[in-house]
Amino acid sequence: GQLVGSIMLGLGALFAALALLGYHESDPSMNTAAGGAAENVMGLPGAHVAGFLLWFGGLGVVLLLPLIVTFARRLWIADAMAGWSGQIGRCLGGILLVGIGLELLAPGAPVGLPAGRGGLLAQLFARQAMNLTALIPNGWSRATEWALLLACLLGGLALCARAWRLERPLLS
C-alpha cells in the first residue's frame, strides 16, 4: 500500500510539474472558453490541472511540488508521516504569502495567467494591502508595499521550506 501510494504521489508530482511547464493560456480549461485542442504537453488533463493550479495558487503553486515529492519519498522508505496535515497547511500558507508578494510586484500588469501571478486569494489580499498602503502619507506607500512584498516573499519561502521538513533524512 505505501509503495503504491509513493509511486502515485511521485507520478502525480511529475504530471503536475509537466502540466505547469506546458501551460498555454489558450488551452481549454475551467478559466477559458477555448475550443481547440490543448497545446499542453500533458494534453487536455494537463491543461485543466495547470489552469486550476495557477488559478488557485499562481506561480507559487510550484512550491507544493517538493512537498509532494517529499511525501512520496517518505512513503517509499516507510518513514513516519506524523504531522502531514500541518505540513500541507504551512505549505499552502507559504504559497499564499509568495502569491501576495508576486501580486505586489507589478500590480495591474497583464501576465496571461488565470488569476495573476499569485492566484485568486493572493490577488484579493494584495489589492487590500495596496488599498491600505495608499493611505500612508508623504509618498511612503510604495516603499511600504515593497517592504511588504519582501516580507511576504521571504516569509512564504521560509514557511514552505519549513513545511518540507528537510531536516529529517530523506535517504536511508
Side-chain angles (χ1 to χ4, degrees):
Q2 283 186 322
L3 187 58
V4 172
S6 173
I7 292 169
M8 295 303 289
L9 280 175
L11 290 175
L14 179 63
F15 178 85
L18 291 174
L20 287 168
L21 284 172
Y23 174 76
H24 292 276
E25 67 179 312
S26 61
D27 282 347
S29 70
M30 70 177 216
N31 300 306
T32 61
E39 296 180 36
N40 194 297
V41 177
M42 303 309 290
L44 186 61
H48 282 281
V49 167
F52 175 76
L53 289 174
L54 290 170
W55 170 79
F56 176 73
L59 296 174
V61 80
V62 299
L63 297 171
L64 191 59
L65 298 176
L67 181 64
I68 296 170
V69 171
T70 302
F71 284 170
R73 178 62 183 151
R74 294 202 191 290
L75 281 174
W76 184 271
I77 63 174
D79 193 11
M81 294 290 292
W84 63 270
S85 59
Q87 285 179 267
I88 292 173
R90 281 188 293 279
C91 193
L92 291 175
I95 290 169
L96 178 63
L97 286 174
V98 167
I100 292 169
L102 291 173
E103 285 295 325
L104 290 171
L105 188 61
V111 292
L113 295 172
R117 289 178 188 84
L120 184 65
L121 280 177
Q123 199 173 50
L124 295 172
F125 283 120
R127 288 181 190 214
Q128 294 309 312
M130 287 186 294
N131 289 340
L132 289 174
T133 58
L135 300 174
I136 298 173
N138 298 332
W140 285 94
S141 65
R142 193 63 187 150
T144 306
E145 286 177 16
W146 276 96
L148 187 58
L149 176 150
L150 287 174
C152 285
L153 283 177
L154 295 175
L157 289 173
L159 197 55
C160 282
R162 181 69 184 118
W164 298 335
R165 294 177 75 182
L166 295 178
E167 69 276 1
R168 293 179 47 207
L170 283 175
L171 304 172
S172 56

